[in-house]
Amino acid sequence: MSRANDVIALKLCLETLQATSSSLDLNQLESFIRLSSTQLLIDKFSTELQQAWDLYSLDPPTENLETVTKQDLPMIFDKPSWVSFKLPNATVGKSYASGLEIVTQKAITVTKIENLDDLGLCYRAEENLLTGDPLIAGDHSLIIHYVHQQQSYQQSIPFVINNNPRNLWKNIASDPQVNYWKADDDFQGLDGVYQWKLVAASKRGRSHAHVGGCRDDDFCLKVD
């Protein structure tokens, strides 16, 4: 295989490693190569990489990866050192609108951002604006596609969507069979004397609802 094909093969395999192992990310893999060697990476993840080569119908990189060097890392990881991207965190259920912060001294054009559709977000390249209503809480990875001097690049960045605290509260119905059970919500109204109206109501608090407990307070209206 040629050096270029070796680089492409290794890149695809590393992306597969990242996608199939929750304990790895490209930054860890890149550090591993920088601190040791590409061949040690191949040895360490031989089973996973063999599955990747089979998946992509690729030939493994040449013996000892002699043609792949640390100078190829920017191409392998699509991560030039002269640019970085930042996005503020989002929250499920809260409308999101934020520009993509681009930290660089070079002229680049962001063309698209991948992995947004399932999150309920979209990127408007002409405005450099990310908008939508976040759907899925968690730590996500977005892929930024951009162009510099007619050369295309892509770079993965982390993106956090926090859970909405209101969604963390459960509303579990209480058990009617427990002693002194009371309905979770109750109200009563009576006609009193001299045209007075009597009204009472009680609603179970969210801390009780969260564990399926009963209301603490109660009432009873009577008119003699």
Side-chain angles (χ1 to χ4, degrees):
M1 294 175 67
S2 67
R3 184 183 72 82
N5 286 339
D6 276 348
V7 169
I8 293 171
L10 182 59
K11 171 180 166 53
L12 289 172
C13 292
L14 293 178
E15 289 177 346
T16 302
L17 278 179
Q18 182 192 30
T20 57
S21 176
S22 59
S23 61
L24 289 172
D25 61 34
L26 288 182
N27 289 332
Q28 290 174 310
L29 293 170
E30 182 180 3
S31 298
F32 189 94
I33 294 176
R34 288 188 184 280
L35 295 175
S36 52
S37 72
T38 308
Q39 184 58 47
L40 285 178
L41 179 83
I42 298 297
D43 294 340
K44 181 177 178 65
F45 300 105
S46 58
T47 300
E48 294 87 348
L49 287 172
Q50 185 61 57
Q51 293 173 350
W53 293 323
D54 292 342
L55 176 66
Y56 288 113
S57 299
L58 294 169
D59 294 325
T62 50
E63 185 177 357
N64 297 323
L65 296 170
E66 293 175 352
T67 66
V68 179
T69 67
K70 289 181 174 62
Q71 282 69 42
D72 296 314
L73 288 179
M75 187 186 304
I76 292 171
F77 291 96
D78 292 322
K79 187 180 178 182
S81 60
W82 41 263
V83 61
S84 62
F85 303 93
K86 298 179 182 178
L87 278 169
N89 295 349
T91 301
V92 171
K94 291 186 177 181
S95 294
Y96 186 84
S98 175
L100 174 66
E101 182 180 352
I102 305 172
V103 182
T104 184
Q105 294 182 341
K106 299 181 183 292
I108 72 168
T109 300
V110 176
T111 56
K112 68 176 180 177
I113 300 178
E114 283 189 66
N115 300 339
L116 291 176
D117 291 344
D118 292 341
L119 303 181
L121 299 168
C122 66
Y123 178 68
R124 302 204 293 265
E126 65 279 4
E127 302 174 62
N128 187 35
L129 189 64
L130 194 70
T131 62
D133 296 307
L135 299 175
I136 305 173
D139 297 327
H140 305 282
S141 179
L142 305 181
I143 301 176
I144 313 295
H145 292 258
Y146 59 100
V147 176
H148 170 62
Q149 294 182 344
Q150 299 184 330
Q151 176 67 45
S152 296
Y153 298 88
Q154 66 182 50
Q155 183 170 326
S156 176
I157 66 167
F159 181 59
V160 177
I161 300 180
N162 296 313
N163 216 327
N164 192 318
R166 292 187 176 183
N167 295 338
L168 300 177
W169 289 99
K170 301 176 183 178
N171 186 18
I172 303 173
S174 57
D175 182 1
Q177 304 303 317
V178 301
N179 293 334
Y180 312 112
W181 176 82
K182 298 180 286 289
D184 297 340
D185 303 306
D186 199 6
F187 66 93
Q188 185 180 2
L190 289 176
D191 291 328
V193 296
Y194 304 116
Q195 297 182 339
W196 286 94
K197 303 290 186 180
L198 303 178
V199 178
S202 176
K203 181 178 178 64
R204 183 177 61 161
R206 68 179 182 179
S207 59
H208 288 85
H210 189 68
V211 297
C214 296
R215 283 186 294 122
D216 280 338
D217 57 319
D218 200 9
F219 61 85
C220 178
L221 297 180
K222 292 183 66 176
V223 176
D224 293 332

